[in-house]
Amino acid sequence: MSGIKIRDVRVILTAPEGINLIVVKVETTEPELYGLGCATFAYREKSVLSVVEDYLKPLLVGRDVADIEELWQLMHQNAYWRNDGISNNAISGVDIALWDIKGKMAGMPVYDLLGGKSRTGVAVYRHASGKGLDEILESIHRFMDKKVRHIRIQWGGYGGEAKSLNKPEGVLEGRYYCPDQYRHNALRMFDYVRSKIGFNIELLHDTHERLSGIDAVRLAKELEPYKLFFLEDVLSPEQGEWLKQLRSQTCTPIAIGELFNNPKEWDYLITNRLIDFIRVHISQIGGITPARKLAIFCEQFGVRTAWHGPGDVSPVGHSANIHLDMTARNFGIQEWSGISEVSEEVFPGVPELKNGYVYPNQKPGLGIDVNEELAKKYPVTTRITKWTQTRLPDGTLNTP
Ligand code: MG
């Protein structure tokens, strides 16, 4: 017992880069002592806000800030039905903020609380892409010039650049792509890029769950000569059983997990060693408390971590990722989509990127803050999400 109690729990919504970010601020009975957590489910911001302020706040106010495990279980079990994305993000906002507070109380960075550092900097992978092969190569060279050694390469958006698709009459609006065209172009891209830059740089690729089971097996096999660091989300969570066939046929390393909500989605993949990297979105599974347990679980089976780190994670969430990365014995790589200058102004103290490595600052807690007045200048917008309306050439909806 610390004697310090939760006084208030508030949601801060902001979109400095045009993507809705959800941050939770937990205030305590100690003046000036508060914590920040990431609860970013960018496409359901009002639902997460309601869970935090209408349900979690009344549950938490007056409770001791020290008891993170107790409070996590209390939040997790409170609605009876559990493990959904909205609840998990709301819980994560509070959970990460409580770790931030605990670090401030201890006068230690969060990675010190978690056992201390296993490394001095966190290797990251960056995103290179282009509409054509030359553009992709230019994008790769820009990162290589900055000493980045892990680069994810994409030809166009997820699923590739769809060209001259033969669609039936009356098709609906959507993001169209052709699985065969995409697979063929992905191979062309790797062939071209490896012929230009050689094998001294680690390359990654995100399939973004666009392929059927057998096509995923085929792509992973066909990519073998290009020696990927990993192939990301080659299958949707619903089709994870196909990984057994894939593993029996290819040694292309596999990373999966940004859509996972529930431990039952990952435990069989890990215990059967069907994946090489776990890459959950840590707010989507409920924050630092479950992510830390997951990393330790993976360590026992030789699976490495590669937490999800795109633009729809807040800088507070990126900071939490980096603290976990600093300490995990089985850290693999960290996705780093980049944080803009305007986001750095809204969130002072973001981890620093230098020569392909990211470093947390040495302040107690997560070392990150939010300028609430500035955050208000970038309001969120509630709108219909369009990029998830992904369609096959005949108009059938596919997982995004
Ligand atoms: Mg991805």
Side-chain angles (χ1 to χ4, degrees):
M1 277 217 7
S2 69
I4 299 172
K5 302 286 196 308
I6 295 173
R7 185 174 56 79
D8 197 7
V9 182
R10 291 193 289 117
V11 171
I12 298 161
L13 298 177
T14 184
E17 297 177 28
I19 300 172
N20 293 347
L21 303 178
I22 309 166
V23 169
V24 171
K25 187 168 190 174
V26 174
E27 295 177 338
T28 74
T29 49
E30 192 73 15
E32 311 287 304
L33 179 62
Y34 60 86
L36 298 174
C38 181
T40 300
F41 188 157
Y43 318 107
R44 292 293 185 269
E45 74 288 346
K46 286 183 177 169
S47 306
V48 176
L49 182 145
S50 169
V51 173
V52 173
E53 295 195 347
D54 297 334
Y55 300 98
L56 297 185
K57 176 183 165 180
L59 179 69
L60 296 168
V61 166
R63 294 185 189 266
D64 197 308
V65 295
D67 303 333
I68 299 178
E69 182 66 33
E70 151 73 16
L71 295 179
W72 194 91
Q73 298 296 340
L74 185 73
M75 293 188 283
H76 179 60
Q77 294 168 27
N78 185 250
Y80 183 50
W81 281 281
R82 48 194 179 265
N83 290 310
D84 68 278
I86 290 164
S87 299
N88 281 357
N89 271 284
I91 292 168
S92 165
V94 174
D95 177 76
I96 296 175
L98 291 174
W99 280 99
D100 190 23
I101 290 168
K102 195 177 274 295
K104 289 174 178 174
M105 287 164 64
M108 291 180 188
V110 167
Y111 68 75
D112 261 341
L113 294 178
L114 299 175
K117 55 182 185 288
S118 290
R119 56 198 53 78
T120 55
V122 172
V124 294
Y125 76 83
R126 306 301 311 274
H127 299 165
S129 65
K131 284 183 185 281
L133 294 173
D134 290 340
E135 218 176 290
I136 297 166
L137 196 60
E138 280 171 30
S139 179
I140 291 169
H141 277 297
R142 277 198 294 276
F143 287 122
M144 286 171 66
D145 291 346
K146 290 178 182 161
K147 298 195 172 171
V148 175
R149 299 210 29 82
H150 298 81
I151 304 174
R152 190 191 79 174
I153 59 172
Q154 307 290 139
W155 189 340
Y158 299 126
E161 284 280 291
K163 294 253 164 59
S164 47
L165 299 182
N166 182 21
K167 299 179 198 164
E169 291 175 8
V171 287
L172 299 172
E173 190 189 342
R175 294 284 179 91
Y176 280 80
Y177 82 105
C178 170
D180 281 347
Q181 199 181 87
Y182 158 60
R183 197 170 50 80
H184 178 70
N185 283 340
L187 292 170
R188 273 180 65 201
M189 171 179 70
F190 272 94
D191 202 53
Y192 176 79
V193 170
R194 280 299 190 207
S195 76
K196 295 290 182 190
I197 66 165
F199 284 81
N200 203 21
I201 286 284
E202 299 283 6
L203 294 179
L204 302 81
H205 180 66
D206 191 352
T207 316
H208 225 266
E209 49 169 348
R210 295 299 173 97
L211 296 177
S212 65
I214 197 64
D215 278 346
V217 177
R218 197 148 59 157
L219 178 67
K221 278 181 77 166
E222 289 167 337
L223 284 172
E224 249 179 21
Y226 308 109
K227 301 194 183 335
L228 273 64
F229 185 79
F230 66 55
L231 182 60
E232 182 171 323
D233 285 330
V234 71
L235 289 160
S236 66
E238 294 86 347
Q239 297 301 330
E241 289 284 328
W242 277 92
L243 287 168
K244 290 175 190 160
Q245 280 89 330
L246 189 148
R247 296 297 261 189
S248 69
Q249 297 194 49
T250 170
C251 63
T252 292
I254 297 298
I256 275 187
E258 67 190 55
L259 286 149
F260 290 168
N261 302 305
N262 185 325
K264 292 297 151 203
E265 290 174 304
W266 61 68
D267 63 1
Y268 83 100
L269 298 178
I270 294 161
T271 54
N272 290 295
R273 297 175 173 88
L274 295 177
I275 58 173
D276 301 280
F277 297 86
I278 186 80
R279 45 176 289 93
V280 302
H281 185 106
I282 69 161
S283 67
Q284 188 73 15
I285 67 163
I288 289 176
T289 295
R292 171 179 159 266
K293 293 175 186 176
L294 174 55
I296 293 166
F297 177 55
C298 285
E299 185 185 350
Q300 312 310 310
F301 294 91
V303 173
R304 287 180 279 171
T305 65
W307 311 128
H308 194 220
D312 47 15
V313 167
S314 75
V316 177
H318 286 292
S319 182
N321 283 342
I322 296 298
H323 281 264
L324 286 161
D325 297 335
M326 285 290 284
T327 186
R329 169 74 183 86
N330 53 325
F331 165 73
I333 192 74
Q334 177 60 55
E335 182 179 23
W336 191 259
S337 56
I339 296 177
S340 70
E341 279 180 24
V342 61
S343 289
E344 287 183 354
E345 283 173 26
V346 176
F347 294 98
V350 299
E352 188 187 0
L353 171 68
K354 227 179 338 180
N355 296 334
Y357 289 92
V358 168
Y359 302 85
N361 62 50
Q362 300 304 310
K363 290 181 189 158
L366 292 173
I368 191 160
D369 209 341
V370 61
N371 180 332
E372 290 192 57
E373 284 313 303
L374 198 54
K376 284 182 197 153
K377 290 192 179 163
Y378 306 99
V380 300
T381 31
T382 299
R383 56 187 165 232
I384 301 290
T385 308
K386 295 219 167 147
W387 71 267
T388 49
Q389 297 177 34
T390 302
R391 294 183 188 275
L392 299 173
D394 72 351
T396 308
L397 276 166
N398 198 78
T399 46

